[in-house]
């Protein structure tokens, strides 16, 4: 992905915020994505109905993709297909995940999250998802990354080849500890969209990763 000889470091996965309309979400994402490198964006329905979620996804998936990021739909395989998303984020039993990996991969990225312990993580790993997220969408409500997520990501990154995402806290300062786990990706939601300028938040997040994140050898 990089043309120079600098080893790669972890990248940002952006968690799209709740929004009242497609236009509101489009503005928020456009602002954030203008700030710099983002690997992918997870789009969650939160409390909205399926019709509104599809309308929002139809609006913002092209915005995400035009910024060079992967658009990943949370929890709805039909909408992912309809809006030509790049991937699916599906939580639940390992057996269900394995069936979805078999059905949709490699055409779509298939990942999962909300994993609370090592045993479950290893079961999920046997399904061979494209990534695992240590964290829960919308749960970044404290300044620091959750200690359990940090511990799991540190353990996973040291021994499992499947890439992992670790959820940071609701402050940009939490990025440093999250990145120190060796995770391939850092999930940011509230730290970006709670900022007065989401573009500046992404710019600062990338600066912090440039300065503090471990480098990966090719």
């Amino acid at each position: 992905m990089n043309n120079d000889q600098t080893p790669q470091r972890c990248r940002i996965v952006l968690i799209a915020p709740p929004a009242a309309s497609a236009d509101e979400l489009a503005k928020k994402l456009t602002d954030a994505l203008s700030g710099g490198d983002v690997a992918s964006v997870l789009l969650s329905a939160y409390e909205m109905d399926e019709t509104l979620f599809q309308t929002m996804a139809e609006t913002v998936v092209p915005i995400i993709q035009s910024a060079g990021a992967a658009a990943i739909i949370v929890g709805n395989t039909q909408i992912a297909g309809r809006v030509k998303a790049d991937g699916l984020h599906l939580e639940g039993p390992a057996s269900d995940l394995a069936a979805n990996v078999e059905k949709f991969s490699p055409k779509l990225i298939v990942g999962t999250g909300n994993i609370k312990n090592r045993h479950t993580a290893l079961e999920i790993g046997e399904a061979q998802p494209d990534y695992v997220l240590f964290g829960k969408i919308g749960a970044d409500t404290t300044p620091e990354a959750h200690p359990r997520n940090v511990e799991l990501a540190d353990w996973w990154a040291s021994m499992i080849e499947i890439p992992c995402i670790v959820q940071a806290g609701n402050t940009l300062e939490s990025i440093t500890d999250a990145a120190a786990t060796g995770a391939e990706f850092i999930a940011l939601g509230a730290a970006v969209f709670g900022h007065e300028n989401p573009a500046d938040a992404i710019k600062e997040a990338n600066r912090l990763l440039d300065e503090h994140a471990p480098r990966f050898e090719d």
Side-chain angles (χ1 to χ4, degrees):
M1 192 170 295
N2 293 335
N3 293 324
D4 60 23
Q5 298 303 309
T6 305
Q8 295 179 346
R9 47 85 168 160
C10 61
R11 299 177 68 199
I12 296 166
V13 170
L14 193 59
I15 309 294
S21 68
D23 287 346
E24 178 189 336
L25 184 59
K27 182 181 186 308
K28 288 181 177 181
L29 288 176
T30 299
D31 288 349
L33 291 167
S34 71
D37 180 62
V38 170
S40 59
V41 179
L42 297 186
L43 294 171
S44 173
Y46 295 104
E47 302 301 319
M48 71 186 79
D49 64 36
E50 186 168 312
T51 301
L52 179 56
F53 184 37
Q54 181 168 326
T55 299
M56 285 198 176
E58 287 172 344
T59 301
V60 302
V61 163
I63 293 170
I64 294 165
Q65 293 171 337
S66 67
I72 298 178
I73 298 293
V74 177
N76 194 309
T77 59
Q78 291 183 322
I79 288 178
R82 291 170 190 156
V83 303
K84 297 180 171 57
D86 302 289
L88 287 162
H89 180 91
L90 302 168
E91 298 179 356
S95 57
D96 291 352
L97 179 64
N100 282 304
V101 168
E102 183 175 349
K103 182 175 182 181
F104 294 106
S105 181
K107 182 179 178 182
L108 295 176
I109 298 164
V110 181
T112 189
N114 195 20
I115 299 165
K116 295 183 170 62
N117 56 65
R118 294 186 181 191
H119 175 73
T120 302
L122 291 173
E123 285 187 336
I124 290 292
E126 291 178 2
Q128 292 294 303
D130 291 298
Y131 69 81
V132 296
L133 165 66
F134 294 111
K136 181 181 179 183
I137 293 170
D140 51 342
T141 56
T142 58
E144 300 300 326
H146 193 292
R148 179 186 65 211
N149 296 333
V150 171
E151 186 275 329
L152 284 169
D154 185 68
W155 161 75
W156 181 275
S158 70
M159 61 177 289
I160 307 293
E161 291 187 2
I162 296 168
C164 73
I165 307 168
V166 60
Q167 187 174 43
N170 62 15
T171 63
L172 294 174
E173 291 76 15
S174 66
I175 290 172
T176 303
D177 286 343
T181 62
E184 287 84 357
F185 301 95
I186 307 295
L188 296 175
V192 171
F193 296 106
H195 194 280
E196 60 183 0
N197 188 319
D200 285 349
I202 290 292
K203 184 177 180 180
E204 175 64 8
N206 276 302
R207 186 195 70 78
L208 288 168
L209 291 175
D210 284 340
E211 187 172 330
H212 298 290
R215 262 45 187 181
F216 306 131
E217 299 294 339
D218 292 335

